[in-house]
């Protein structure tokens, strides 16, 4: 059945947050729509596994077994909708039917999250709420199958299937893959699949697969210390010599020459604010970069070509003609498809934002041939951290410390990443129990903050000095604020604007290490 010909009845809508990894096999006699909320994992269906994460959409036809495999370090949350599809027969009688095509592998849909929350929450309410949920679900299906953008008005089911196949190649390029296997996943004959793929993508499936493998290999060669053999295996080639021939045929130079040439690049474009800071820590000013002066900065980028504020401008990037691009993973940008074009402009070093900032610095240093400078910078940082740690811990002993940003009457407390990394990992200070398992941050009301046992509070407030004074006068008028341990002990440290320190990067952490230690030590020395 064509999607536009059906009548849809929502049967169930729920948000699922499984504890740890989920491996239970599910099977329904109804259609199942899954939409990733956050985290990442793998979904297994139709005999294949595929990546599944935030904003990914998966539609399974009735009686299709499936299961989700979460990742312990990045727990997966998703919405699960089950629904029936009906069509009208010649006697004007509703008959339960089945859609003509599923959506597998999952397709990425950037608008998915904005359209799912209310459906699930309303479904748990009154009968009127459920009616609203059903209507919103109809709208979700409409937008899923008939996107608003003009270029997608005439998409057909086969177009969506080829898009899914292309997405599968993008995420599984390192696995053994043949035309026959790809065609089988789409339910098409090999000849028909290959013809449709080339018509839509402009290249045959295997030509496209090789281009994806070579692109990822170039990235790996720049940012890792993998051998040629390991690089070849990682991207799906079993023979390193065959890989070298394919690489030279596609790029024009051998892998070894490619590495030597681009690690000496001087026209470097930074497509992420944190990575600009890392380049500066390595003694390199980027040739072009994202520049947002409202964020505040400890360094000047006056002579650097601007490529946008927080999101990249592809036109500016192409006109800048960089020799090397340093970027996040494509999925970390607001428009992943545009970010996917970076390698078509210049060789690209992709630095995953997950992980420790020290490793980010090392990856970038490797890509720009400055590993020794990175080693010296990190060594100096660790020596400073150790010296300050001894002094601060001697003064504070086991008293608990927190850092917060004041936001519209509430307090954003930082956990294991960003500002909290300096306090709890570098300085090894004690934290309130409420922050023990907080990865990034939590937003607390004054009443919730009062439940935390905080002996020392570093507080960031926004605005000019007059506005900050107004905030502190407002806080001082609240009894719940006056009763906080840190307030009663006189251990609240005004740190003004947080923009210089809050970026998860080398120079921001160095600044906050010095500033936080200075605040804590100078205050204690006045007691």
């Amino acid at each position: 059945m064509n999607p536009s010909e059906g009548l849809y009845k929502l049967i169930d809508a729920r948000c699922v947050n499984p504890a740890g990894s989920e491996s239970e096999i599910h099977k329904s006699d109804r259609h199942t729509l899954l939409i990733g909320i956050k985290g990442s994992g793998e979904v297994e269906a139709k005999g294949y596994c595929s990546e599944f994460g935030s904003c990914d959409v998966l539609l399974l036809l009735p009686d299709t077994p499936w299961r989700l495999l979460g990742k312990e370090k990045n727990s997966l949350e998703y919405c699960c909708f089950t629904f029936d599809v009906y069509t009208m027969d010649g006697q004007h009688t509703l008959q339960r039917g089945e859609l003509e095509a599923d959506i597998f592998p999952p397709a990425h849909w950037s608008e998915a999250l904005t359209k799912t929350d209310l459906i699930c929450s309303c479904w748990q309410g009154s009968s009127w709420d459920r009616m609203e949920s059903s209507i919103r679900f109809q709208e979700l299906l409409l937008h899923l199958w008939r996107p608003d953008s003009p270029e997608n008005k005439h998409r057909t089911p086969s177009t969506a299937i080829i898009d899914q196949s292309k997405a599968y190649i993008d995420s599984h390029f390192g696995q053994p893959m043949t035309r026959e296997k790809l065609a089988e996943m789409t339910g098409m004959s090999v000849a028909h699949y290959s013809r449709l793929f080339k018509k839509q993508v402009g290249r045959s499936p295997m030509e496209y697969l090789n281009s994806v493998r070579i692109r990822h290999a170039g990235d790996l060669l720049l940012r890792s210390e993998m051998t040629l053999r390991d690089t070849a295996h990682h991207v799906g080639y079993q023979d390193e010599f065959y890989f070298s021939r394919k690489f030279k045929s596609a790029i024009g130079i051998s892998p070894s020459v490619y590495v030597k040439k681009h690690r000496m690049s001087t026209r470097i474009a930074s497509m992420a604010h944190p990575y600009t800071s890392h380049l500066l820590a390595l003694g390199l000013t980027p040739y072009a970069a994202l520049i947002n002066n409202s964020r505040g900065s400890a360094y000047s980028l006056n002579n650097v070509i601007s490529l946008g504020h927080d999101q990249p401008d592809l036109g500016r990037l192409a006109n800048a003609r960089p020799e090397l691009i340093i970027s996040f993973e494509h999925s970390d940008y607001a428009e992943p498809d545009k970010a996917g074009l970076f390698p078509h402009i210049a060789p690209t070093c992709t630095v995953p934002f997950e992980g420790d900032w020290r490793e980010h610095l090392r990856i970038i240093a490797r890509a720009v041939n400055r590993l020794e400078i990175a080693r010296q910078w990190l060594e100096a940082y660790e020596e400073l951290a150790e010296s300050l740690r001894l002094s601060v811990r001697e003064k504070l002993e086991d008293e608990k410390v927190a850092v917060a940003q004041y936001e519209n009457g509430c307090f954003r407390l930082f956990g294991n990443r960003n500002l909290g990394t300096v306090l709890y990992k570098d300085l090894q200070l004690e934290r309130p129990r409420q922050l023990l398992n907080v990865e990034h941050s939590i937003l607390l009301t004054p009443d919730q903050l009062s439940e935390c046992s905080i002996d020392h509070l570093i507080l960031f407030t926004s605005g000019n000095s007059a506005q900050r004074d107004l905030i502190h006068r407002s806080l001082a008028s609240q009894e719940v604020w006056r009763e906080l341990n840190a307030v009663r002990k006189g251990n609240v440290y005004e740190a003004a604007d947080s923009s210089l320190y809050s970026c998860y990067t080398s120079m921001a952490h160095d600044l906050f290490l010095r500033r936080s230690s200075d605040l804590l030590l100078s205050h204690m020395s006045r007691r």
Side-chain angles (χ1 to χ4, degrees), residues 34 63 127 160 203 219 228 236 274 279 312 325 419 445 498 509 527:
L34 305 178
D63 299 317
S127 58
R203 284 177 282 186
D219 192 342
L228 191 63
L279 286 169
I325 296 171
L419 297 169
T445 64
S498 65
H509 279 64
R527 290 182 62 181

Side-chain angles (χ1 to χ4, degrees), residues 9-21:
K9 180 180 180 182
L10 181 60
I11 304 299
D12 187 34
R14 54 196 171 91
C15 288
V16 183
N17 184 7
S21 299

Side-chain angles (χ1 to χ4, degrees), residues 1 29 31 62 83-87 94-99:
M1 181 195 309
D29 61 353
H31 293 78
F83 63 97
D84 284 334
V85 185
Y86 293 89
T87 186
L94 285 178
Q95 298 289 335
R96 186 175 164 190
E98 184 173 306
L99 294 169

Side-chain angles (χ1 to χ4, degrees), residues 210-367:
N210 279 318
S211 71
V212 172
R213 286 174 167 174
I214 294 301
R215 185 174 72 245
H216 282 276
D219 192 342
L220 277 174
L221 288 167
L222 288 175
R223 65 183 176 89
S224 76
E225 292 296 336
M226 279 189 180
T227 64
L228 191 63
R229 178 186 179 87
D230 289 341
T231 300
H233 289 177
H234 187 85
V235 299
Y237 294 104
Q238 298 307 307
D239 185 333
E240 63 187 285
F241 300 106
Y242 177 72
F243 161 67
S244 293
R245 291 195 299 272
K246 297 294 288 186
F247 190 94
K248 186 172 184 179
S249 174
I251 305 299
I253 53 178
S254 69
S256 59
V257 174
Y258 177 88
V259 171
K260 185 177 297 185
K261 175 183 177 181
H262 293 295
R263 283 187 177 174
M264 300 304 293
S265 299
T266 56
R267 295 162 65 99
I268 300 170
S270 172
M271 306 310 293
H273 295 292
Y275 303 159
T276 299
S277 174
H278 286 317
L279 286 169
L280 292 167
L282 296 170
L284 284 173
T285 300
Y287 167 74
L290 295 179
I291 300 175
N292 187 346
N293 294 324
S294 65
R295 285 174 169 263
S297 176
Y299 43 81
S300 172
L301 297 175
N302 292 334
N303 298 318
V304 176
I305 296 173
S306 173
L307 300 176
H309 296 294
D310 293 309
Q311 296 298 324
D313 183 316
L314 281 184
R316 292 187 189 180
L317 179 61
N319 290 335
R321 301 177 66 83
E323 297 170 341
L324 177 67
I325 296 171
I326 310 288
S327 79
F328 289 138
E329 291 182 305
H330 302 160
S331 58
D332 290 325
Y333 290 95
E335 298 180 278
D337 291 343
K338 286 187 177 180
L341 296 175
F342 292 167
H344 297 281
I345 296 174
T348 301
C349 171
T350 304
V351 185
F353 191 59
E354 292 299 321
D356 185 77
W357 65 264
R358 293 168 175 81
E359 184 56 26
H360 298 164
L361 179 65
R362 293 188 188 98
I363 290 172
I364 293 171
R366 192 175 291 115

Side-chain angles (χ1 to χ4, degrees), residues 105-160:
H108 191 79
W109 185 26
S110 58
E111 298 180 19
L113 297 187
T114 62
K115 301 182 182 299
T116 56
D117 288 346
L118 272 177
I119 300 175
C120 290
S121 59
C122 289
W123 188 256
Q124 308 305 319
S126 66
S127 58
W128 289 108
D129 291 331
R130 286 204 165 201
M131 181 178 179
E132 179 182 352
S133 185
S134 295
I135 293 171
R136 290 183 179 277
F137 182 70
Q138 304 273 344
E139 292 175 345
L140 182 146
L141 293 180
L142 176 65
H143 286 288
L144 176 62
W145 281 312
R146 194 192 69 176
D148 293 328
S149 54
E151 65 270 21
N152 289 326
K153 290 279 186 180
H154 304 292
R155 292 173 62 82
T156 65
S158 62
T159 304

